[in-house]
Amino acid sequence: MSAAHLPNVAGIDSTVPGPTHTAASLSGGPAAPAPPGALIQDRLAAWVSDLTTLHELIERLVRTDTLDAALAELLRAGSALVGARRGMAVLEPADGLGPATTVGLGLAHADLGHIETVPRSATSYGRILDGLPDPGAHPDLLGEAGLDPRHREVAARLGYAASYALPLAAGESGEAGESGGGAATTLDSAPATGLGRLGAVVWLYDEPAEPVERQRHLVGLYVRYAAEHLARLVELQRARVQVATVAEELLPSRLPRVPGVQLAARHRTHPRGGGDWYDALPLPEGALGLAVGSVSGSGPSALAAMGRLRASLRAYAVMEGEDPVAVLSDLELLLRLTEPARSATALFAYAEPGLRKIVLAGAGHTPPLIVGEHRTEFVETSLSAPLGMLSCWEAPSVELSPAPGETVLLYTDGLLRRTGDPMDRAFARLHAAAASVSRADRADPGAVADHVLRTMLPEGLDRPVEGEDVVLLAARFDG
């Protein structure tokens, strides 16, 4: 009768080399006595090798700047450390504030879906996410008598026979602190963010297997550092969401409906929060005020200054909107008195849709663009300094009359700067993009704005660009 089959033990990947200083004994004779200190040298060599490998993996990890990239790098490095081919990382902060995501290694989207059909309490990662005790290692899943039937079915279908899971916990000591060894004393000073449990990571073996003690120790140290890095990225993502929320709240929640004109707006705040803004407000006697602007700086202070400036412009527009120069003059005085260290650009247009007449003035701002069936041209505006740059600002206004069906585009220079081209080429690209709007799209200001954005920024508005907001306000005048 053959002996009982024992599970295989996962071998150490070539990424984590083992000690090689012990010479093999001669065949057919007694082993040569080890020189004094050879065992200590072997252990030191192994620790140095482990530390070097760990340092290289952590260096690669800290270069990631998004959650998905960090989770993917965590899975890749961890698979090398524990000798597994596939894995899954689930980000689900215990405080319930998000963000939540799942990333797989060697698993297709459908495979992740199959795994998620298994009851959470029947999986290692699920028990970790629910705060339940779990051994972490399941060296022979299909051989476990009490395995959930659905888990057995999914494991057989996807072809994995063992798993090893670890919690992702920031600011808490994990398995890394429980294992002995020289690496722990060297790498035990990771900064803690205090977010607590962030999620779980699990690696899947194709055959019955489990990591040995040295592998557990190394991957435990690595996961501990990965959790701290992920916690910082989570906090950054949350801050960006909060900044974007504040920026959106400071801008119009909806555009007004004024007879004779159709409006559409597109806006994106850069990750740190910028000061670009737009506004459209109905004025007495069927008139309409249109404004775009940009406050210098970024972050919460720029957002606050933008909110104050926009609110002030609305008040001035109601009182003297038919004179855009007076509106911007009042705004300049307010900025100089209340924000002495800040400058801003702005453009205000007083539109009478019934007469198809616009009177506008700009302060260091980009010129509007008229898009129609028979012309695509920039509005000739006089040169003027930004608000807050001179002791007294003043510039002449400009009057224009859009033809029936023409659209006037107001925008901030972030649209031009995001292209990465010099300004003269960026203006040329904007003109070409507007001129290429199809006849069918010209009837919808939203379609005009979307076409211009797609043409100018093929990578889309969601690509974060440090320091550059995008604002585009389109007003189409009916016939």
Side-chain angles (χ1 to χ4, degrees):
M1 182 170 59
S2 60
H5 174 69
L6 296 177
N8 294 331
V9 176
I12 304 225
D13 190 271
S14 58
T15 310
V16 189
T20 58
H21 295 272
T22 304
S25 60
L26 297 175
S27 58
L39 182 58
I40 295 178
Q41 291 180 3
D42 284 349
R43 287 184 176 179
L44 287 175
W47 288 344
V48 169
S49 174
D50 291 347
L51 288 173
T52 301
T53 298
L54 210 54
H55 175 74
E56 292 174 353
L57 295 178
I58 291 173
E59 284 291 311
R60 292 188 56 164
L61 176 70
V62 297
R63 285 196 291 267
T64 59
D65 57 1
T66 65
L67 286 171
D68 283 351
L71 290 171
E73 177 61 25
L74 162 63
L75 286 171
R76 187 204 65 79
S79 69
L81 291 172
V82 303
R85 186 173 64 88
R86 293 179 289 178
M88 181 175 73
V90 181
L91 187 70
E92 189 178 298
D95 59 11
L97 300 179
T101 187
T102 300
V103 175
L105 172 70
L107 296 170
H109 184 72
D111 297 335
L112 295 176
H114 286 309
I115 294 175
E116 290 174 347
T117 63
V118 179
R120 281 171 58 128
S121 60
T123 64
S124 292
Y125 81 89
R127 294 182 66 83
I128 291 173
L129 293 174
D130 292 338
L132 301 174
D134 187 85
H138 293 266
D140 188 1
L141 277 171
L142 300 180
E144 290 185 11
L147 189 68
D148 182 271
R150 179 57 185 167
H151 196 179
R152 187 183 305 276
E153 177 186 345
V154 170
R157 179 172 185 173
L158 299 184
Y160 64 87
S163 68
Y164 181 66
L166 284 176
L168 294 172
E172 299 177 358
S173 59
E175 188 168 341
E178 299 168 2
S179 302
T185 59
T186 306
L187 297 172
D188 198 43
S189 58
T193 59
L195 278 181
R197 190 174 68 253
L198 294 173
V201 59
V202 58
W203 289 278
L204 306 175
Y205 297 95
D206 296 339
E207 298 178 356
E210 64 177 317
V212 298
E213 181 181 356
R214 174 168 165 254
Q215 291 174 301
R216 289 174 184 249
H217 178 61
L218 285 177
V219 76
L221 283 171
Y222 179 77
V223 167
R224 182 179 179 184
Y225 271 76
E228 298 297 337
H229 181 62
L230 286 168
R232 288 187 285 272
L233 292 178
V234 166
E235 290 177 332
L236 180 60
Q237 176 68 16
R238 289 179 177 180
R240 288 175 174 173
V241 171
Q242 290 171 354
V243 166
T245 301
V246 171
E248 292 300 323
E249 289 297 324
L250 289 174
L251 295 175
S253 58
R254 61 183 180 86
L255 295 172
R257 295 184 178 181
V258 176
V261 65
Q262 302 175 50
L263 299 174
R266 301 293 184 265
H267 173 260
R268 183 71 82 247
T269 302
H270 79 83
R272 289 183 56 200
D276 286 15
W277 52 275
Y278 70 93
D279 206 350
L281 65 156
L283 297 174
E285 300 180 0
L288 175 69
L290 301 173
V292 291
S294 177
V295 176
S296 62
S298 62
S301 63
L303 285 175
M306 177 265 282
R308 290 191 292 267
L309 209 64
R310 173 178 170 262
S312 301
L313 185 141
R314 290 176 70 92
Y316 298 145
V318 170
M319 293 186 294
E320 48 191 3
E322 67 279 359
D323 186 355
V325 173
V327 171
L328 293 185
S329 295
D330 291 343
L331 198 63
E332 194 275 337
L333 178 59
L334 176 75
L335 184 70
R336 185 152 40 90
L337 294 176
T338 61
E339 308 275 352
R342 199 180 296 277
S343 63
T345 66
L347 186 147
F348 178 73
Y350 179 80
E352 297 176 273
L355 302 176
R356 290 199 305 277
K357 175 184 174 182
I358 299 177
V359 180
L360 62 87
H365 204 79
T366 50
L369 182 63
I370 299 179
V371 183
E373 185 174 356
H374 302 293
R375 62 171 174 170
T376 300
E377 60 186 30
F378 290 102
V379 176
E380 292 291 338
T381 57
S382 59
L383 290 176
S384 60
L387 303 176
M389 297 294 289
L390 301 177
S391 58
C392 182
W393 175 91
E394 188 169 350
S397 60
V398 176
E399 184 174 321
L400 62 143
S401 298
E406 288 188 330
T407 298
V408 178
L409 293 179
L410 310 181
Y411 55 94
T412 58
D413 61 0
L415 175 63
L416 305 173
R417 297 186 186 279
R418 277 212 188 194
T419 64
D421 292 336
M423 291 303 285
D424 56 342
R425 291 188 58 188
F427 274 114
R429 285 184 59 177
L430 175 58
H431 185 276
S436 64
V437 176
S438 67
R439 178 175 296 182
D441 284 344
R442 289 196 188 112
D444 179 4
V448 173
D450 290 336
H451 175 85
V452 169
L453 289 173
R454 284 195 305 268
T455 308
M456 293 284 287
L457 307 173
E459 296 184 14
L461 279 176
D462 291 331
R463 184 175 70 91
V465 177
E466 188 68 18
E468 299 298 345
D469 293 2
V470 172
V471 163
L472 186 59
L473 178 61
R476 181 185 185 275
F477 289 82
D478 299 335

